[in-house]
Amino acid sequence: MHKKLLLLVLAVLYLSYGNAQKPKTPSASQIYESLQKLNFLGSVLYVAAHPDDENTRLIAYMSNHVKARTAYLSLTRGDGGQNLIGPEIRELLGVIRTQELLAARGVDGGEQLFTRANDFGYSKHPDETLKIWNKNDVLSDVVLAIRQFKPDVIINRFDHRTPGTTHGHHTSSAMLSMEAFDLANDKSAYTDQLNQTSLWQPKRLFYNTSWWRYGSREKFDKVDKSNMIKFDIGTYYPLKGLSNNELASLASSQHLCQGFGRLSQRGTQEEYIEFLKGSPVDNNNIFSGIDTSWNRVLGGSAIGDILYAVENNFDFTNPSVHIPQLIEAYKHLQNIEDEHWKTLKSKELKAIIEMCVGLYLEVSAETNWATSNESVKLNIESINRSNIPLTLLSIKTPNGTSVSKNIELKSNIKFTFEEIIKIKENAQPTTPYWLNKKGTLGMYIVDNPEQIGLPETPRVYNMDFNVLIDNTPFTFTKPVIQRYSKPDKGELYRPFEIIPEASVKITEKVIIFDSDKSHEVSVVIKSGRHDLKGTIELCHPEDWSVSPKMHKVSIAHKGEEQTVIFNVTPPKTGSEGFIGPIIHIGDKDYNKELFEIAYEHIPFQTVLLPSESKVVRLDINKSGENIGYIQGAGDVVPESLEQIGYKVKILKLEDINTEYLSEFDAIVVGIRAYNTLDDIEFKQPQLFDYVAQGGNMIVQYSKSYGLKTANIAPYSLTLSHDRVTDENASVRFINPKHEILNSPNKITQKDFEGWTQERGLYFANAWSDKFTPILSMNDNGETAKEGSLLIAQHGKGYFIYTGLSFFREFPAGVSGAYRLFANMISLGKEDMNLEAKRND
């Protein structure tokens, strides 16, 4: 279904935004729509907390029906969420979700902005959120976004008046927006920003309300709506062949890692916004009192006279006939004094001129990545697909070299040539700018103030094309990309990246030592250039030892890898720390891992992060050996279980039958499996029979809504939204003598130290008396939650439901999480082992 949605988007809309995507080749209808937007001088800023919080229906409506410049300010990049499509979490998940937001904006026509706030996970109150985020810094970023974007209207997704009733990040986004509304025009607030932008006062601010704010549609029907504006966001766009809500569904479906792929909607649909502050609204028009015509700017009347005439008489069969008028308007535009509108509208109008002449410009590198001092061949293509006189005067290469061309681009005659560029010696690797430095729990560190709020790191390697169109000079800038093809995929595009001459990774991110014996650790070096030579060492905690001290590095060809083995020996007693490789090449050191993120719905991404692995000398005992794992959403639990000596087999649903399951000591069900596996309900009888025959079945959390079966357990069990977000929350043992807390590992309070992000989520809140609750915990000020770990004996085996966040704790190397999970697998196996020994 996801692929079908993506194909529909590509078929209907020209590609935009992603640097890796195909250069725009818009249709006449799309040129006309761009012209309509050019002739509307008004803007809307939508504000919320996370990727997928945005209301794509309203963003699409403002952008495509109202024709306003529309942006979504997401305070975070969604780093604290879960990942439905792969194993990436935290920073890498934030990169994926950033690109999904850009893909969504490419569909609904909006723009994308951010702050430096780090999504540290679920928060129950804005007081906690704003303390962890550093309220002043995030507020500063919201003010900066308003001053730079200069919205006439701001719309909040969430209600600032209801703290504690929803995610703390949600309420915080609205509270900060309310405060920033006034501060943006306060010359005493964040004065350092005024070096790069100017004061701005939005006209009014709204809250995007709905029936769910009031609990039901019936209650909402009774609400006084005199302070609200209603929109029919189901309007149909003949030029697109889509309705607004269809467009919005396609945009929302870009959030695939959060499971937002969905059916499109059509027909009349109501949307409401509630007036909060600013100038009162007249005639239900959010832009009332704001001149959104060209008369808004001094000297704009003459520009409007030209451009409105082009819009009213647009030639869909030959848009190039309008070039003389468009160029005349462009010249007038350069003389207006309002720098904000001059900059924005010049960019839009120049793009429309480029579209109308069908000018295609492309710069394709022979490789998708290079490193410092490397020479790269660029294949350059230019073509004029109109009868308008065009001349390619010159190009300016990414090295800054100007190359004269003086080539007449005759109609539909392709002109190609090559250039060789040399990557600068001090070229910085391509990686998300907000990950260049290690941030705090709640904030990313961005040294360059000009990058704050940007969705991506600006591309450094671009080519300027200096073109004469109808005797008027224009400069068009195109990023260097790589265009290539695959027999089973067709034509493909990737961004051109700069990578370091050497990167390094440890193959295991967490290494568990259950004794003081040494462990072989594989370290992989990747070469970014030919003939890489140097040495590599492995840094380690003081009470650990590593041999040998150094390995030689010698890699002949760019892109090749070399694997070296270090023997790591832990201390005799419990200990943990981090190991990290350092490569020495000449007088330079490298210690970062190069991550490649490749999904079909977003552009290819490269990310550089410090290469390190956690090493844990762990006292752990276990019974049983063979584990069957049913995967749900992405996690690394199977690999983590293998770390402590289990043999893990990934099970497909079609493989599940009673006889096959009998070879496993435990069946573990992955996170959200009961939300994602359509046919799992048909396998429940076999799974429950496996338990009855003496197996252990461990079910990790699924969301309480969207379950694929009503019976995830052999006895009644109701999931809830209950969660404990404080990773340091007190854990109380309800049944301290229960086997799961005592065998084969004695579980103590120490085992709940060092947990990350949360204790757990989607706990059960009602269950059959067949279940025994084991743990009690709660966030500050809340009632005790006892549904995080429930055990029921079923026949000869045990069924276990747990909402504890093992999927987060295992990658963090939390010792207690491993010990407790081993006890879950081993439950009831001690007696079986003794019986087996007696029989032998």
Side-chain angles (χ1 to χ4, degrees), residues 35-49:
L35 186 61
Q36 290 178 309
K37 288 180 71 68
L38 176 70
N39 283 335
F40 188 93
L41 279 69
S43 53
V44 176
L45 181 65
Y46 197 87
V47 181

Side-chain angles (χ1 to χ4, degrees), residues 253-265:
S253 288
Q254 302 308 302
H255 296 294
L256 297 185
C257 75
Q258 302 305 295
F260 269 51
R262 59 189 60 187
L263 293 172
S264 58
Q265 298 179 341

Side-chain angles (χ1 to χ4, degrees), residues 1-10 84-85 246 249-250 252-256 259-266 600-601 676 678 708:
M1 173 179 162
H2 296 164
K3 288 185 177 180
K4 290 180 179 178
L5 283 170
L6 180 60
L7 289 173
L8 180 55
V9 173
L10 298 181
L84 188 68
I85 61 175
E246 285 179 291
S249 296
L250 292 170
S252 181
S253 288
Q254 302 308 302
H255 296 294
L256 297 185
F260 269 51
R262 59 189 60 187
L263 293 172
S264 58
Q265 298 179 341
R266 285 162 290 277
E600 290 186 0
H601 68 300
T676 60
D678 290 332
K708 301 296 184 180

Side-chain angles (χ1 to χ4, degrees), residues 563-584:
T563 300
V564 298
I565 304 295
F566 288 95
N567 288 294
V568 177
T569 306
K572 293 186 178 298
T573 57
S575 174
E576 59 183 56
F578 290 91
I579 57 174
I582 299 180
I583 305 174
H584 307 286

Side-chain angles (χ1 to χ4, degrees), residues 157-230:
R157 182 69 174 112
F158 300 106
D159 193 347
H160 67 286
R161 299 161 293 192
T162 56
T165 61
T166 183
H167 199 319
H169 297 183
H170 292 169
T171 311
S172 295
S173 71
M175 293 169 64
L176 293 171
S177 177
M178 289 286 291
E179 196 169 347
F181 181 87
D182 298 315
L183 289 176
N185 200 39
D186 184 347
K187 64 182 180 182
S188 66
Y190 306 111
T191 56
D192 56 317
Q193 296 179 1
L194 300 179
N195 295 323
Q196 62 183 103
T197 187
S198 58
L199 299 175
W200 181 254
Q201 181 57 63
K203 189 75 169 181
R204 50 185 65 96
L205 187 149
F206 297 90
Y207 159 51
N208 186 192
T209 190
S210 180
W211 64 265
W212 45 260
R213 164 68 173 83
Y214 298 87
S216 69
R217 296 183 186 276
E218 291 74 21
K219 291 180 180 178
F220 186 55
D221 289 340
K222 300 175 183 178
V223 170
D224 178 9
K225 299 182 180 62
S226 59
N227 204 35
M228 299 181 189
I229 297 177
K230 180 176 70 173

Side-chain angles (χ1 to χ4, degrees), residues 620-627 644 646 665-666 696 739 743-745 821-834 837:
I620 187 169
N621 300 301
K622 62 184 188 301
S623 296
E625 183 178 23
N626 297 309
I627 307 298
I644 55 175
Y646 288 107
D665 297 297
N696 287 350
E739 180 184 346
S743 179
N745 303 289
F821 211 96
N823 281 14
M824 291 159 58
I825 292 172
S826 303
L827 188 61
K829 298 293 190 296
E830 290 291 297
D831 293 340
M832 293 172 62
N833 289 345
L834 290 174
K837 290 179 180 179

Side-chain angles (χ1 to χ4, degrees), residues 504 506 523 537-541 578-582 591 611-613:
V504 61
I506 303 175
V523 181
E537 62 177 312
L538 191 62
C539 300
H540 57 86
F578 290 91
I579 57 174
I582 299 180
N591 66 349
S611 179
E612 64 178 15
S613 292

